[in-house]
Amino acid sequence: MRLAAATLDRAAPGAERFGYDRAAQAIGIVHIGIGAFHRAHQAWYTDRAMDAGDRDWAIAGVSLRSATVAGQLNPQDGLYTVAERSADTTRLRVVGAVREVVVATPGDDRAAGLIVAPETRIVSFTITEKGYARRADGSLDGQAADAGGSVYPLLHAGLKRRRDAGLPGLTLLSCDNLADNGRQLERLLLAYLDVHDAALAGWVAGECAFPSTMVDRIVPATTPADLDAVEQQLGLRDEGAVLTEPFSQWVIEDRFAGRRPRWDAVGAQLVTDVVPYETAKLRMLNGAHSALAYLGLERGHTFVHEAIADPALRALVEQLMRGEAATSFPPAPGQDLAAYAEALLARFANPALQHRLAQIAMDGSQKIPNRWLPVLSYHRERGTRCPAILAALGAWVRHVRGDHGKVDDPQATALQAAWLGTDMTGATRSLFAPGGAMSGVWSPDGEDIALMPGSPEKRPLSG
């Protein structure tokens, strides 16, 4: 029997569930990119905020590229389960915050209609790094922004209708793993609108808000075996279940265009400056994750908990987090980076998550410029080295070059040509030129010569 509103009462009594009246909650949030992470994080916070008495923050999800999530959740009336797994227990909560999932297709204006609805106050995003249509230098790629599946035409249509209807502006809330994600979204959207609708760009700049956020929760891809395990514990089949860890963190810049949910009542942090928290997460958590991915795959590991149990990799990750990343930026008052590193190591060791290294290794060219290169740059300016990051970069070079099989990266072809020294012209060269996304991979004086394009790379990097 499948989870749905009509079958919810048959769920196992040990599973937590919301206590509010779903039908009485207006849709206040439109979320674009409703994947597993959103369901385990922002929607989970929103569900608990409404359970604590907040009102009218139900979520309408929008999928830009695939009908998969709509097929999972719509037959279940938007209901799904969050399974928090630790080493010895699994805790279930049925989440009721999501009302429906709409697939944005050409000629169908339902998604734009959600944005223009008077009750909508927030449009939020988890569209991944690729979804922002950025060039290597960070500017908007106009061709990609106009392509099918891009978020910008949808925002253009919805915000234009909202302005024309005389409705107030919205909070546009990026929850993606991008440095300064709110400002990035604002800059890129305004660049798109400047070309397509300059008057609307002015209205958006004056009436909408773009808070930055930092999100943190490990959410591995759900497997068929995971769905079977949830069904056994829940007593109902849930095709939209997500698996995650007990830990969760959400830091939000308190800069909204209007009313906001009381997420801070259920554990989110509302702050004036997200940057120190964002930097710690990018450089310490995400940086260590990427290092474990490339080095761990190279050493034959499959999951994060296996890689961190490897003594050589654990020592390297501790050096990366404590000696290199944590010393590369000033923390916020009261932000304990030593305790944060200790918590990260414990989270990585959780064997219940089955977090695949191959999943983390995807799209490395989009990730490591924010995760590793600022740390390298900081230490180079001070005459210090980063042996752990250099070792990780060496493993990434070998990975993206194809030494260990198929590579899942949007720049794979260009990077493979660069490493082999067969093409350093045009777009490929721009990646490595000053100001390019990969310009910090090696130093001008040849200090890290084994990483340079065309290097024979005959020895493994040891730092």
Side-chain angles (χ1 to χ4, degrees), residues 54 83 143 154 191-192 236 284 300 382 429:
D54 214 351
Q143 183 174 358
L154 170 60
Y192 179 87
L236 296 168
M284 296 177 69
R382 288 153 181 80
R429 179 174 290 277

Side-chain angles (χ1 to χ4, degrees), residues 60-74:
V62 175
S63 292
L64 294 173
R65 299 179 183 276
S66 169
T68 298
V69 178
Q72 293 168 344
L73 296 192
N74 286 340

Side-chain angles (χ1 to χ4, degrees), residues 120-186:
T120 299
R121 299 283 184 242
I122 295 172
V123 177
S124 54
F125 307 83
T126 47
I127 54 176
T128 75
E129 293 92 336
K130 289 186 290 188
Y132 289 82
R134 295 181 302 164
R135 295 190 181 96
D137 64 0
S139 65
L140 182 71
D141 182 335
Q143 183 174 358
D146 280 326
S150 168
V151 71
Y152 298 107
L154 170 60
L155 291 176
H156 181 190
L159 291 170
K160 183 178 187 300
R161 288 173 56 182
R162 192 170 183 93
R163 180 204 60 186
D164 293 348
L167 293 169
L170 297 172
T171 297
L172 300 166
L173 189 70
S174 171
C175 299
D176 280 300
N177 191 27
L178 295 173
D180 206 17
N181 53 16
R183 304 302 187 277
Q184 293 257 31
L185 175 62
E186 180 177 21

